[in-house]
Amino acid sequence: MSDEALDLQSLRRRARRALTSGELSLADLNLPPDLSMERLVEDLRIHQAELEIQNQELTESRDRIEVERGRYRALFEGLPVPALVINRMGVVEQANQAAADFFGFRASRALRRHSVFRLFSDRGGNWFGPAMERAGRGGEPSLTERIGVLRADGQEVPMDCYALNPGLGYHADRHTLLLLVDRSAEREHDRQRAFYGALMDNSEALIYAFDLAGRCLLMNPAAARAFGVAESTVLGKTRTECMQGETARYEARMDRRALYGREPITEELRRRLADGSEALLMVVRFALRDEQGEVFAVAVIATDVTAQRRMQSRLDLATEIFSRGSEAILITDAGNRVIFANAAFEHISGYRAAEIAGRNPLSLVSERHDRPFFLEIKKHLARDGYWEGEVWPRRVGGETYPAWLRISRVRSGSDQEMHHVLVIRDISKEKMAEEEIQRLAYFDMLTGTPNRYLLKDRVAQAVRSSIRTGAQFALAFLDLDRFKEVNDVHGHETGDRLLVHFARRLRESLREEDTVCRLGGDEFVLLLKGIDRIDARERLERVLSETTQPFSIGGNSHQVSASIGVAMFPDDGDGFDELLKNADTAMYQAKAAGRDQCSFFHADMAVAASSSAQIEADLREKLKNDDFYLVYQPQIDLATGAVVGLEALLRWRANDLDSAPGPGEFIPVAEQSGLIVPLGNWVIERVARQIAAWEQAGSEALTVAINVAAEQFWRESFLASVTERMEQAGIEPARVVLELTERTAMKMPTEAAEIMRSLNARNIRLALDDFGTGYSSLSYLKRFPLQFLKIDRSFVADLAENQDDQAICRAIIQVAHALGMKVLAEGVETTAQEAFLRGAGCDFAQGFLYAPGLGPEELALWLKQRRLATA
């Protein structure tokens, strides 16, 4: 283009501007001569049109931009997820309402100028810079997954962050749009899936599901083990591939029922598992539905309740026992408040369960028990976990009664809370029976005076008192002269009444501290305490004078006299037996001297058959030479007459039978000398050998009773010694019954009971010998694990005529049966004794009525003859 043309264009532009702006007129333009006015005006008009067109385009463009910006703002504000526009420094320049709500701002504009880094739990970490760089390059949005974003309440929320170029007026190199998408639900879903997966994998319940085509959709490890299939390969398999035929058919049938039922099907069934065991399963079967409510499968949850049902059965049984048992039972909570009382408690005490609920059970105990008594219970409970003993509770009406109480501490299985279980047994009847036995055992039924056993105890007390004080006492043996004539002439009833009057007169003629005892028949013993020989003679002479006065009985006058023998302690003996024997000797001397007089013992009266020293020496020699032997006395079932057992009796072998001492002579010497233990072991060993010999010969299997001495029983090695000898002989312990005396058992009752239980545990049965002659208490007797109770021969000897002995025997039999024991009477010699014992319910008997002690050969012949006689 020429310079002229350029000048012309420049001139035109100036003219248009000047004219348009109104700064100058055409005259002021100083137009060149060759440029006409018409041309210039035309050019101006053209330019004005161009300007108008450009202005219209600009207006339309601005309108379009405003529309787009409005759409952007609406889209931005309407986004359901938090959206932020940040600059290159990470400062928020724009935020939508979702972001304001999420981050806890009232309005979106309040977020402006906040640093975006404060909104991330890791302050952007290593991901923010690269994300911004990728977004700045344009193209696809930059995604960063699962970043931690802090919500308004401070909780970290997992979110996906999309970073992209916003456009629409924002420069790509200066601004970035961040979109935050909440992934909490997905994380919770992942957690739930992991949770339910862990439940499935670790559950002991059988969980499985089959679709409508009968193919496995789900099976946990427990179910796979139960059906004997591999969990990893079971999915997609049919029922018949997963289960045995009958089980598969049953499952298919039950699944069809579940498909058409709206409620789950619950059932209990027994099923044999893959390992061969049988389980009781609680099965819940239900349909699975999709989102449209269509059934697509049936699921089963089967829980093995075998152990629970077994435990429930035991609990039901225990509850039934508690509720219906004869013993009262109370259970307390940790605060010792009653939370359970059974029907027996209501029956015994008269209290209803509701009345005792919440109370301390010891509040029912009567004032007989003081504070130290309860402290002792508390101490035992803390130390041993239990206490038992006799208490006297009150019934609902205030009446007290004797009871045997056992308290045990127990912890509950669920919360380990400490409870107390109280078992209460009313022993009123036992107490009455015990008192009756005490009366029968220690008092004469006819005269009401102490009998031999109580006298023996009082003499023992007098001995101890005299040793402490140095005082003497006298033991006088009194026998009525010619009393038999009264019975023969006037009858036994008159004789008994005479004895009652005579005993009363004796008591009246003595001091309060003295004792009058009737031994039996017409024999009495007087214990005069704190008296010397002179005073004793004077007092006994007065007794003779008063007792010889006539007695008026049944309108008739009866006069009797008495002979008295006296032994003084300590001159004439140091114990009951020796004093009584010497007093008896002196009494016979008085009778020999003419009756109706008093005679004091002196040494010349004692004529011993053999000295104890000689017997001890002979004992040692016999043991060394094995010079003893055993005989066996049969024991008879009174109901059937059958031979049920034998008692082994020790005998002394001697060339001169007349000089051989009996057991009553050499056994006491053996006990005093300590030879009773080796002698007892010899007996047990020989009995065991004999039983083994009988077994080998095919003889009848009879139990054999062996008497055990106190010193032998209390040896630590006793249990092992008995067991060892039976094992060596190769016999069953059940073939042996060990007999203990009352005195042996009552020496240390608790320890004795423990030894007895150990013997029972080895199948060795026990009998209490000579029952009624000692000092046994029913409260202890019931604790001894005894199988037999033997009535002493002293109660059997006069059984046909003596009502006292009859009453004692009945009481012993009733008590023994109440305690679950069998009763055997020894010393039965007459059919009258046998008839009474059979009628009283006695189980077994032995004595000369049936047979004496027999050697093995004699016994075999006797058994054969008895079988023939009873056949």
Side-chain angles (χ1 to χ4, degrees), residues 597-813:
Q597 57 184 286
C598 179
S599 175
F600 281 76
F601 175 82
H602 54 81
D604 295 340
M605 296 179 182
V607 180
S610 61
S611 69
S612 60
Q614 183 62 48
I615 293 177
E616 181 179 344
D618 292 344
L619 268 174
R620 296 184 185 279
E621 188 68 20
K622 294 289 183 183
L623 273 172
K624 181 180 178 180
N625 298 330
D626 200 19
D627 214 1
F628 291 95
Y629 67 97
L630 296 174
V631 295
Y632 300 89
Q633 188 172 37
Q635 296 172 334
I636 309 301
D637 187 327
L638 289 175
T640 65
V643 180
V644 294
L646 308 166
E647 180 178 7
L649 304 172
L650 182 64
R651 295 293 182 262
W652 179 299
R653 194 188 305 278
N655 294 329
D656 183 359
L657 294 179
D658 293 334
S659 65
E665 296 176 88
F666 70 79
I667 292 297
V669 175
E671 290 175 338
Q672 295 169 5
S673 63
L675 295 175
I676 193 66
V677 173
L679 193 60
N681 290 337
W682 183 90
V683 172
I684 293 174
E685 183 176 334
R686 288 307 173 92
V687 168
R689 289 183 186 178
Q690 184 61 63
I691 292 173
W694 282 332
E695 288 179 348
Q696 292 174 2
S699 301
E700 183 178 354
L702 298 173
T703 59
V704 180
I706 303 173
N707 290 281
V708 177
E711 186 176 353
Q712 183 182 9
F713 179 79
W714 289 114
R715 286 287 179 98
E716 289 185 8
S717 59
F718 173 65
L719 189 62
S721 175
V722 173
T723 305
E724 179 183 357
R725 282 167 170 77
M726 292 184 186
E727 289 176 349
Q728 289 176 348
I731 67 168
E732 291 293 329
R735 293 291 302 279
V736 172
V737 176
L738 299 182
E739 294 187 359
L740 313 172
T741 64
E742 281 187 90
R743 189 173 298 277
T744 299
M746 293 303 297
K747 182 179 180 181
M748 292 186 289
T750 302
E751 292 80 357
E754 186 63 32
I755 296 173
M756 292 179 191
R757 282 191 285 271
S758 298
L759 290 166
N760 281 175
R762 288 162 172 78
N763 211 20
I764 299 174
R765 292 179 291 174
L766 300 168
L768 192 65
D769 198 8
D770 302 335
F771 181 70
T773 64
Y775 304 90
S776 63
S777 166
L778 286 181
S779 63
Y780 281 106
L781 181 61
K782 67 188 178 186
R783 295 169 59 183
F784 292 150
L786 299 165
Q787 287 72 50
F788 302 97
L789 205 62
K790 296 188 72 173
I791 300 176
D792 185 66
R793 63 179 64 249
S794 63
F795 297 124
V796 177
D798 299 325
L799 194 57
E801 301 85 14
N802 192 304
Q803 294 181 356
D804 295 345
D805 290 342
Q806 292 176 2
I808 290 173
C809 287
R810 286 196 186 97
I812 291 174
I813 293 168

Side-chain angles (χ1 to χ4, degrees), residues 207-227:
I207 304 174
Y208 53 94
F210 284 84
D211 63 15
L212 302 184
R215 296 191 177 277
C216 182
L217 294 181
L218 171 70
M219 184 173 291
N220 72 337
R225 288 192 299 271
F227 294 127

Side-chain angles (χ1 to χ4, degrees), residues 143-385:
L143 171 62
T144 304
E145 296 181 335
R146 304 297 174 90
I147 64 171
V149 181
L150 298 176
R151 203 164 59 185
D153 58 5
Q155 182 179 353
E156 181 180 330
V157 179
M159 307 187 85
D160 288 352
C161 179
Y162 291 87
L164 65 157
N165 186 340
L168 295 176
Y170 290 101
H171 298 287
D173 60 341
R174 293 175 57 243
H175 294 83
T176 303
L177 173 63
L178 301 182
L179 299 178
L180 304 175
V181 181
D182 191 347
R183 297 302 186 192
S184 302
E186 294 180 10
R187 185 168 71 172
E188 184 62 26
H189 177 73
D190 292 343
R191 287 179 178 175
Q192 289 183 3
R193 184 168 54 190
F195 172 74
Y196 288 116
L199 283 180
M200 289 280 291
D201 292 342
N202 295 287
S203 175
E204 294 183 359
L206 282 58
I207 304 174
Y208 53 94
F210 284 84
D211 63 15
L212 302 184
R215 296 191 177 277
C216 182
L217 294 181
L218 171 70
M219 184 173 291
N220 72 337
R225 288 192 299 271
F227 294 127
V229 295
E231 181 193 4
S232 58
T233 62
V234 74
L235 298 183
K237 289 187 175 181
T238 63
R239 284 192 185 85
T240 55
E241 292 175 305
C242 300
M243 308 172 183
Q244 296 179 353
E246 181 58 36
T247 301
R249 287 189 291 273
Y250 180 82
E251 288 287 318
R253 187 166 60 253
M254 294 305 296
D255 279 4
R256 285 194 295 272
R257 285 183 55 189
L259 287 174
Y260 299 108
R262 302 195 61 84
E263 299 295 331
I265 299 175
T266 302
E267 60 176 334
E268 275 191 14
L269 57 88
R270 291 194 175 275
R271 177 161 290 170
R272 187 166 298 280
L273 306 182
D275 61 2
S277 64
E278 188 177 83
L280 178 63
L281 301 178
M282 173 65 73
V283 178
V284 179
R285 193 181 308 268
F286 52 92
L288 297 177
R289 300 176 184 273
D290 59 19
E291 296 178 354
Q292 288 71 39
E294 296 295 328
V295 176
F296 66 91
V298 174
V300 173
I301 300 176
T303 306
D304 188 345
V305 294
T306 308
Q308 292 91 319
R309 287 294 180 269
R310 187 180 299 117
M311 180 61 70
Q312 186 62 48
S313 296
R314 293 175 181 172
L315 289 175
D316 291 344
L317 178 60
T319 302
E320 186 70 12
I321 293 173
F322 274 21
S323 300
R324 299 183 179 276
S326 60
E327 295 182 330
I329 298 175
L330 297 176
I331 299 177
T332 72
D333 59 14
N336 286 330
R337 295 177 292 269
V338 173
I339 59 176
F340 173 84
N342 69 347
F345 174 80
E346 294 182 339
H347 175 72
I348 291 174
S349 69
Y351 286 97
R352 294 192 301 273
E355 293 176 313
I356 191 65
R359 293 178 61 179
N360 187 320
L362 293 182
S363 66
L364 300 179
V365 177
S366 67
E367 291 75 11
R368 286 178 178 239
H369 305 291
D370 53 13
R371 188 168 181 271
F373 175 79
F374 294 107
L375 292 177
E376 186 70 14
I377 292 177
K378 185 176 180 180
K379 183 179 75 174
H380 275 275
L381 287 173
R383 184 186 64 195
D384 305 325

Side-chain angles (χ1 to χ4, degrees), residues 432-448:
M432 293 174 60
E434 184 177 355
E435 291 172 0
E436 180 67 11
I437 287 182
Q438 291 280 347
R439 189 175 70 83
L440 295 175
Y442 296 113
F443 291 88
D444 179 59
M445 288 290 294
L446 178 64
T447 63

Side-chain angles (χ1 to χ4, degrees), residues 851-862:
L854 303 172
E857 296 80 9
E858 296 173 304
L859 179 63
L861 180 60
W862 182 88

